[in-house]
Amino acid sequence: YLTISGVILISLSIVSISLIQADAYSLIHRLFMLGLVIFVFIAWCALIWQFYKALLAKQNQIEILMGLKLALSSLIDMKDSYTEGHSNRVRNLARNFSEFLRLPSEEVENISVAGELHDIGKIGIPDSILKKTEKINGQEYEIIKNHPKLGAESIRSIHGFEAIAEIILHHHEKYDGTGYPDRLKGDEIPLGSRVLSIVDAYDAMFHGRAYRKPYTNEQILEIIHQEGDKQFDPLLSKEFLDFINQENIKLQIDPVCGMRLGEKQKNFNCRYIGQNYFFCSQICAQKFEESPEKFVLGSESM
């Protein structure tokens, strides 16, 4: 749109200059040039209108996508209230770490969304296992191991979520090939899954589980260091340790959906406890206003 608009504007300028300098030409020539100016101007206005409609359609598409993603995320929280906020924290941490790695923007977005939805397959796990306060046994663990497949299958049919489903499917694979569901090894594991594996484990250890107390940050970093080349990608493990050790890693993101916001995307905002929060869409702003305390806590990824 912008390229075509530029061409039209240049054409309009050339024709206008020709019209101004057309005193020496006949009346018919000047009328023709005037008509051409009007035609080019109308074409430019029509293009601008089409561009505006495309922006509105894109915004509507974002609203629909965010609504769907938030609905899925809410289902996860309703299934297991003990880990409420885990999905948001993993999403934000995954985005921050992916950007720290300087991954392509599309890859960053896919990893971020996968981080938010990575546990959606747990909806298919019985509450008696998922909410058990004692350590689970071998048979129960085999049932829990189904959740990456269940999660991937549940969203694979959504247009545009194919790569996200693949990341979710393999986020419990281990670098040494002892993970699940497919026992992939090393670089056979998708990069997004290797990134998500680390950030998911970090948050799970930092905040604990119903059957286990949280670890200290020092303990977690030591575990991640020791598990390099075993559970985690060794290169990513080193990068993650550097990432965590850096202070004040703050990226401007939507606290509800996790979308990275540029200056031109801060169209929606609201104020909470003396601070402004920005959102990519109206639906995210409304969701935040309903329960801001949930998303303010969830947005603190470290």
Side-chain angles (χ1 to χ4, degrees):
Y1 282 107
L2 294 176
T3 302
I4 298 174
S5 179
V7 171
I8 291 177
L9 282 175
I10 292 172
S11 301
L12 181 61
S13 300
I14 293 173
V15 174
S16 299
I17 293 172
S18 299
L19 180 62
I20 294 171
Q21 296 177 345
D23 293 338
Y25 297 99
S26 65
L27 177 61
I28 294 176
H29 179 79
R30 281 180 287 179
L31 290 174
F32 172 78
M33 297 299 291
L34 178 61
L36 189 57
V37 168
I38 295 173
F39 172 79
V40 173
F41 178 74
I42 292 174
W44 179 72
C45 290
L47 184 69
I48 293 300
W49 173 245
Q50 290 297 322
F51 181 62
Y52 175 70
K53 289 201 299 183
L55 285 178
L56 289 180
K58 185 67 174 179
Q59 182 62 41
N60 185 57
Q61 186 179 18
I62 290 174
E63 296 278 355
I64 295 172
L65 179 61
M66 291 304 104
L68 174 62
K69 191 159 68 70
L70 290 173
L72 294 174
S73 181
S74 296
L75 287 174
I76 300 171
D77 286 344
M78 285 189 289
K79 178 67 176 179
D80 187 6
S81 59
Y82 186 86
T83 58
E84 183 175 6
H86 171 67
S87 298
N88 285 347
R89 291 192 302 268
V90 171
R91 174 201 66 198
N92 294 342
L93 188 58
R95 176 181 292 281
N96 289 4
F97 183 41
S98 298
E99 295 212 0
F100 176 82
L101 295 172
R102 301 182 183 277
L103 298 181
S105 58
E106 184 176 356
E107 183 85 8
V108 171
E109 204 61 43
N110 286 339
I111 295 172
S112 173
V113 176
E116 185 169 13
L117 302 180
H118 72 284
D119 277 341
I120 192 172
K122 289 184 177 179
I123 294 174
I125 305 299
D127 287 350
S128 59
I129 298 176
L130 194 62
K131 299 181 180 180
K132 188 176 180 179
T133 54
E134 301 85 20
K135 191 172 182 179
I136 60 175
N137 59 41
Q139 184 178 3
E140 292 167 336
Y141 181 58
E142 290 301 315
I143 294 174
I144 286 180
K145 283 165 64 176
N146 288 324
H147 83 269
K149 278 189 175 181
L150 294 174
E153 290 170 1
S154 68
I155 67 168
R156 196 184 299 278
S157 60
I158 302 175
H159 177 67
F161 275 48
E162 297 85 0
I164 295 168
E166 195 69 13
I167 294 173
I168 291 174
L169 176 63
H170 297 297
H171 78 278
H172 276 294
E173 304 283 1
K174 293 185 179 180
Y175 198 77
D176 63 4
T178 62
Y180 60 88
D182 296 326
R183 299 180 69 86
L184 299 183
K185 184 177 181 180
D187 291 345
E188 294 175 351
I189 306 169
L191 175 60
S193 301
R194 281 179 273 150
V195 170
L196 183 54
S197 172
I198 296 177
V199 298
D200 181 33
Y202 177 86
D203 186 78
M205 288 187 285
F206 195 82
H207 290 88
R209 286 291 183 264
Y211 54 85
R212 173 179 51 74
K213 293 182 179 180
Y215 292 93
T216 66
N217 193 61
E218 291 73 20
Q219 289 174 322
I220 298 171
L221 296 183
E222 180 59 28
I223 291 172
I224 292 175
H225 172 69
Q226 292 176 354
E227 288 298 314
D229 206 30
K230 298 175 184 177
Q231 180 173 349
F232 307 122
D233 181 321
L235 295 179
L236 289 180
S237 297
K238 293 178 182 178
E239 292 284 358
F240 187 76
L241 295 178
D242 290 340
F243 165 71
I244 291 296
N245 287 327
Q246 286 191 19
E247 297 181 356
N248 300 320
I249 301 174
K250 297 293 184 180
L251 298 175
Q252 185 62 58
I253 60 175
D254 185 318
V256 175
C257 72
M259 178 176 284
R260 183 80 159 89
L261 300 177
E263 289 299 325
K264 295 181 180 179
Q265 293 174 298
K266 298 178 182 179
N267 300 321
F268 308 96
N269 68 87
C270 62
R271 196 168 181 83
Y272 178 66
I273 315 183
Q275 184 173 348
N276 279 324
Y277 293 88
F278 297 91
F279 310 90
C280 69
S281 63
Q282 186 63 41
I283 191 170
C284 287
Q286 290 174 347
K287 192 76 175 178
F288 182 86
E289 289 176 345
E290 291 172 6
S291 53
E293 67 286 345
K294 173 182 176 181
F295 297 107
V296 170
L297 292 175
S299 67
E300 295 173 358
S301 57
M302 286 176 283

